Amino acid sequence: MICRMLVHSALPRPLTEAVEAVLGAAGIEHVSHGDAEPVAAAQRAAGDDRAIALIGPFRSRDVAEAVEATAPAGLPLLAPVATWAGLTRDDEPGGDDDPARPRGTLLRIVARDTVVAQRIAADVAARGQRALVVAGDHAYGVQLDGQLRLGGLPRTARAADADLVILAGLAGEPELARAAALSLPIIAFDGVQGGDIGPRGELGVALPFAPESHEHGQVAMTGPARRAAQLLVSALRTGATSRPELLGALRSLGPFDARGDPVDPPVWLWRADAGWRLTPERPL
């Protein structure tokens, strides 16, 4: 049994339960704050002398704000599903706009958006295709468009010359209708689920989640939360007893790169049906 140290979390209930199951089985005390006040939870964790790590928050922006409290205290923060590049990178599109300041204490469990864009670009290139990019005018769309350019996506501005559409958009925004009107196969980034894409043919969604996250036709976020807790258990079993020692053990076990991003993380293409049920199709 691992004792005397405890782990805080700031996550929605299903993810909290996944973390609790792993930590409880290992005998690690867990303090759950839920997801209502993630920054306050981070502040409480940072000020807790017994706290060895924080799992969460859930959303990228909340993670960026949480590290303002946890990083100065040297508290490792494991972000289960946050994908914004700016959490760990200030040299990529979207990451140079008020990036987070984790001071080497943030570890991301899933691939960041830039990696998803790189995998899409490489897949299109490997298939000898060219893509027409339909991106929203909002910050998310602009960021993803830049990341696709960084990844070297073979692209065209003419629908007649395109083999497929890459959709960088959000549900409820006009770019979904623009993409559907082109009558081409679509590969979309995360964010379009549940949106009205109208009559269309083949639709895939590129996500930083492998098939083990598949539950009842949807992608479950509990898998990465469970993975974060399992990493903590393994790191503590190496004999780490302080925050710096734990951070070092986590980096080796992940493995994570120097910025805190996972090395060679999974990205999968998920096929979406008319009712937005998702089925894992192939790795990217």
Side-chain angles (χ1 to χ4, degrees):
M1 175 179 288
I2 301 169
C3 59
R4 295 181 58 83
M5 295 173 286
L6 55 86
V7 173
H8 288 244
S9 70
L11 295 167
R13 178 177 293 179
L15 279 70
T16 298
E17 292 173 350
V19 166
E20 176 62 38
V22 174
L23 297 181
I28 300 174
E29 189 175 349
H30 172 219
V31 178
S32 168
H33 299 279
D35 62 342
E37 298 181 356
V39 176
Q43 292 169 340
R44 288 194 288 272
D48 184 345
D49 290 340
R50 290 184 58 201
I52 198 74
L54 171 67
I55 303 179
F58 182 77
R59 297 176 179 83
S60 292
R61 179 48 59 187
D62 291 335
V63 172
E65 294 177 357
V67 295
E68 293 296 318
T70 57
L75 183 71
L77 186 155
L78 285 81
V81 295
T83 61
W84 176 47
L87 291 177
T88 52
R89 307 278 169 155
D90 59 6
D91 57 349
E92 296 176 351
D96 53 359
D97 181 16
D98 192 22
R101 298 181 293 179
R103 306 186 190 185
T105 62
L106 190 157
L107 301 174
R108 191 201 305 269
I109 300 300
V110 299
R112 66 192 186 278
D113 293 326
T114 308
V115 172
V116 177
Q118 290 169 342
R119 299 286 182 85
I120 291 173
D123 185 71
V124 173
R127 291 169 179 270
Q129 298 178 323
R130 285 195 293 175
L132 190 155
V133 176
V134 176
D137 294 332
H138 40 74
Y140 184 57
V142 172
Q143 160 189 315
L144 294 177
D145 192 13
Q147 290 166 355
L148 289 167
R149 292 185 184 280
L150 182 67
L153 175 73
R155 57 198 294 166
T156 176
R158 285 169 35 91
D161 298 330
D163 299 290
L164 76 163
V165 170
I166 305 299
L167 174 57
L170 295 169
E173 296 295 330
E175 59 269 15
L176 273 68
R178 296 204 310 269
L182 294 169
S183 299
L184 288 166
I186 299 171
I187 294 179
F189 284 88
D190 193 15
V192 299
Q193 297 93 312
D196 183 8
I197 300 187
R200 38 81 178 166
E202 190 176 338
L203 172 63
V205 185
L207 298 172
F209 303 105
E212 58 263 25
S213 296
H214 188 223
E215 293 184 7
H216 311 297
Q218 297 299 324
V219 177
M221 303 295 183
T222 51
R226 190 178 300 112
R227 168 67 173 155
Q230 291 167 340
L231 276 173
L232 277 171
V233 171
S234 297
L236 288 169
R237 285 178 173 160
T238 68
T241 58
S242 67
R243 293 174 180 181
E245 288 175 352
L246 180 65
L247 188 60
L250 288 167
R251 284 188 175 280
S252 297
L253 289 167
F256 298 94
D257 65 19
R259 301 285 192 104
D261 284 305
V263 175
D264 194 25
V267 176
W268 275 70
L269 182 67
W270 294 67
R271 188 60 52 195
D273 67 15
W276 282 108
R277 290 180 58 86
L278 298 174
T279 304
E281 181 170 295
R282 58 185 172 87
L284 292 175

